[in-house]
Structures are given as C-alpha cells and as structure tokens.
Amino acid sequence: MKYKALYSVLEKRMAEVSGFQYDDRSCWHLTCPTYVDRLHSLWIIAVDPATRRRIWITHDGGSDFRISFKSIDEQMNNYGPIRDIRCTSRMDLASKLQKLFSEPNTFVD
C-alpha cells in the first residue's frame, strides 16, 4: 500500500482515542484516476477529540505533503488559526502525524 505507514498511524489512533474518526477522500487507489484525481492523490480529513483538532492530510502530487490542523470546539466547529506542517515524504508525513498526536504542542507557534 502506497501510504501504509500513514494509515497505520490513523488506525492506531482510532483504536486508542474514543471518537477519533477520519474521512478518506483519497484518489491514489483508483485504477483509472483522472487528471484531477492525480492532483489530489491523498486527501484525508480527521477529527481528533483528544487534541480537539480537525486535521487535513494531503499529498497534491510531486513532493507537496502536508498536514494542516485547526482547533475545534465542543460542537466540532473550527476556530482559530490554521497551522501547516510541511513534510518531505510519505514516511515523514506519517512520522509528523504521530508526533502531532503524541506531542500536541510540538507544531504550535
């Protein structure tokens, strides 16, 4: 699997945190992706009640791997600034996501 390490981090988080969920809108697994699909090969939206964040995990072709996150309130509404974490590879993406879960204040300005 192309993003095996990333999905392992997500599945582990789902097993550990009650209410954690993610919506996988990725196109990397399609057998005949369109041009637009190839531009947005990885697109996952996660909600993590433990850190009170909504997280977007994307890979938009080439070497643009990114994790973006924003705080959420009790009603799951976004608030505050959005923060971006740039990653250099699929493994770096998985590693930084794991760090975001285990050390939530690491990537906060």
Side-chain angles (χ1 to χ4, degrees), residues 9 11-12 43 66 95 98:
V9 170
E11 291 299 322
K12 181 179 179 213
W43 184 25
R66 187 180 309 203
S95 173
Q98 179 59 51

Side-chain angles (χ1 to χ4, degrees), residues 1 17 19 34 36 46 63 74 76-77 87:
M1 179 189 308
V17 175
T34 66
V36 173
S63 60
E74 296 80 19
M76 304 301 209
N77 296 314
C87 306

Side-chain angles (χ1 to χ4, degrees), residues 46-83:
V47 175
D48 186 19
T51 60
R52 296 180 57 148
R53 290 180 176 151
R54 180 165 284 115
I55 304 164
W56 295 267
I57 306 159
T58 59
H59 177 204
D60 290 336
S63 60
D64 188 15
F65 298 89
R66 187 180 309 203
I67 300 168
S68 302
F69 62 95
K70 192 168 188 139
S71 297
I72 55 174
D73 62 19
E74 296 80 19
Q75 289 79 37
M76 304 301 209
N77 296 314
N78 298 338
Y79 73 90
I82 193 162
R83 294 186 166 82

Side-chain angles (χ1 to χ4, degrees), residues 22-54:
Y22 69 92
D23 181 11
D24 189 354
R25 299 178 181 190
S26 302
C27 298
W28 65 267
H29 50 73
L30 298 176
T31 53
C32 296
T34 66
Y35 173 74
V36 173
D37 294 336
R38 285 192 297 273
L39 290 177
H40 304 288
S41 61
L42 181 70
W43 184 25
I44 297 172
I45 304 166
V47 175
D48 186 19
T51 60
R52 296 180 57 148
R53 290 180 176 151
R54 180 165 284 115

Side-chain angles (χ1 to χ4, degrees), residues 8-23:
S8 292
V9 170
L10 291 168
E11 291 299 322
K12 181 179 179 213
R13 189 67 171 181
M14 190 177 296
E16 294 174 349
V17 175
S18 176
F20 178 84
Q21 59 187 356
Y22 69 92
D23 181 11

